[in-house]
Amino acid sequence: MKLVTFHSQQRNSRIGALTPDGRIVDLNAAYALYLRDKRQEEAFYALADARVPADMRGLFANSDRGLDAARIAFEYALKEGPEVKGATGEPIFFSRDAVQIKAPISPKKFFHTAGNFREHHEEAQKSGFSHPVLPWIVFFQNVDAIIGPDEEIIYPEHLTEELDYELELAVVLKKSGKHFRAERAGDYIGGYVIFNDVTARDIQRTEMKSGVFSFCKGIDTFCPLGPHIVTADEIPNPNNLAMELRVNGKVRQQSHSSKMSVTVPEIIAHYSPMGYSAGDVLSTGTVSGVAAFSGDPKSLYLRPGDVVECEIEKIGVLRNPVVSYKEKHKGEPAAAV
């Protein structure tokens, strides 16, 4: 399944699954209908809220039980057809243009991986970046910076002149756990999503003198995530995916997840002593081709008006426009620097 979080006029924030023709099935409403009509359950709404809740983190908190129920709901809705209504007449099918697609999940914790693709590390070394990342490390993302597909990356001109992009594959975990080996990591993987690790390089360059980087990647809107979560059953090998990032249609990053220094299960196991919660997100590092490490960074850094497209095989395309903070907040008091 391709799982989305969406806002509709009828029922505010919901979770859904994409149909082959691009419509969205409200999974909570579809499961309530299934429980009433096929299982003859009297408390069908209460059971649906418990097993297929209307928020993504709640769904993943139910692990395989929740994902299996969501799949049953999705298949039942497809069988009944797009004209079917919910148990009390509410819509189950939505067209894409009738809803707003949001970031698919708001995790409790967002684990970053840096330095996993050696090609990216090597281009950093050649560019003389101040701090080596050997061979791969973890840090945390500001989850409040998350935005979804087609939402705006806000360029804060008062903070940076070097706004960069980083295409990454990210993993959504479906259950809590800690201290486990790579052989067990697959039991924790709920799905995969695209992540654009937007970075203010001039801020990062200063931060890395002390061996850390946080503010440069955690500024508001610097964490595009989406366009949906593809469940793990549809991607049996996450280390076999083509990856490409484009700015205004021109390819900037192009690589393959097989080029990771360590595999996705190894990363998940390595960070497990910190403890996972269901719905946590874990990125796996970016590939070569970022603006900062090119031969002419200034010509490639993001600017207001740019459109960034991140594409990963079997997942889809995460698209975000870049807009000026000054234009966005014209007439408002100046932001603190």
Side-chain angles (χ1 to χ4, degrees):
M1 292 182 293
K2 293 180 173 62
L3 301 173
V4 299
T5 292
F6 68 98
H7 287 185
S8 71
Q9 292 182 343
Q10 294 90 343
R11 304 191 71 188
N12 298 320
S13 183
R14 311 290 292 172
I15 65 168
L18 294 177
T19 67
D21 62 1
R23 284 176 290 191
I24 299 167
V25 171
D26 183 323
L27 293 172
N28 175 265
Y31 194 61
L33 185 66
Y34 165 80
L35 290 172
R36 188 195 70 173
D37 292 355
K38 302 300 288 185
R39 298 281 296 274
Q40 286 77 53
E41 297 281 1
E42 294 184 1
F44 47 87
Y45 277 127
L47 286 171
D49 288 344
R51 295 177 187 173
V52 188
D55 72 279
M56 197 69 74
R57 198 161 77 183
L59 177 67
F60 279 91
N62 285 335
S63 192
D64 287 333
R65 185 185 185 195
L67 291 170
D68 288 345
R71 191 168 288 105
I72 289 170
F74 184 53
E75 292 173 354
Y76 182 68
L78 291 177
K79 181 180 178 181
E80 293 298 301
E83 303 304 317
V84 68
K85 298 296 182 183
T88 56
E90 71 273 19
I92 288 181
F93 282 82
F94 292 84
S95 63
R96 289 288 294 267
D97 57 5
V99 301
Q100 183 181 13
I101 305 294
K102 306 295 288 184
I105 195 165
S106 178
K108 182 179 179 181
K109 297 190 295 296
F110 192 123
F111 299 80
H112 256 286
T113 298
N116 187 21
F117 283 83
R118 304 319 302 154
E119 59 186 37
H120 178 59
H121 171 68
E122 289 166 3
E123 68 177 359
Q125 283 186 316
K126 290 177 182 178
S127 71
F129 233 60
S130 62
H131 191 77
V133 178
L134 291 171
W136 49 293
I137 62 171
V138 62
F139 59 100
F140 289 99
Q141 173 62 282
N142 169 24
V143 297
D144 290 336
I146 293 173
I147 59 173
D150 295 309
E151 293 189 300
E152 297 168 337
I153 300 168
I154 299 176
Y155 186 118
E157 300 95 328
H158 55 291
L159 295 175
T160 181
E161 296 180 350
E162 300 180 4
L163 194 65
D164 210 345
Y165 45 81
E166 290 190 2
L167 168 63
E168 302 196 23
L169 172 69
V171 183
V172 182
L173 303 176
K174 66 181 179 182
K175 65 179 182 178
S176 60
K178 60 185 71 173
H179 292 289
F180 55 82
R181 296 182 181 276
E183 301 82 59
R184 290 184 51 211
D187 297 338
Y188 293 83
I189 299 174
Y192 301 94
V193 64
I194 300 170
F195 167 46
N196 184 3
D197 183 16
V198 177
T199 306
R201 296 295 184 192
D202 36 9
I203 298 174
Q204 184 186 29
R205 195 174 293 107
T206 299
E207 286 190 295
M208 288 182 73
K209 291 177 182 178
S210 62
V212 299
F213 36 101
S214 176
F215 183 50
C216 64
K217 295 173 176 286
I219 296 170
D220 182 46
T221 75
F222 278 23
C223 187
L225 195 68
H228 42 248
I229 298 167
V230 178
T231 51
D233 59 295
E234 296 195 12
I235 303 179
N237 183 4
N239 289 104
N240 188 30
L241 303 173
M243 305 172 67
E244 182 175 283
L245 182 143
R246 300 176 292 274
V247 178
N248 303 327
K250 296 182 179 180
V251 176
R252 297 283 184 86
Q253 291 182 281
Q254 191 172 55
S255 192
H256 199 273
S257 64
S258 63
K259 296 184 178 181
M260 292 183 190
S261 297
V262 292
T263 65
V264 170
E266 287 171 331
I267 297 170
I268 296 171
H270 183 71
Y271 300 160
S272 68
M274 290 187 282
Y276 295 128
S277 299
D280 282 352
V281 174
L282 187 152
S283 77
T284 59
T286 194
V287 303
S288 61
V290 299
F293 306 152
S294 69
D296 186 12
K298 289 185 178 180
S299 70
L300 299 180
Y301 283 131
L302 296 173
R303 291 288 181 263
D306 287 344
V307 176
V308 187
E309 293 176 304
C310 300
E311 183 169 6
I312 298 181
E313 184 182 3
K314 297 185 179 180
I315 299 180
V317 178
L318 171 63
R319 176 188 180 276
N320 297 95
V322 181
V323 302
S324 163
Y325 178 94
K326 291 179 180 178
E327 291 298 316
K328 189 83 172 174
H329 297 273
K330 187 180 293 185
E332 297 181 11
V337 178

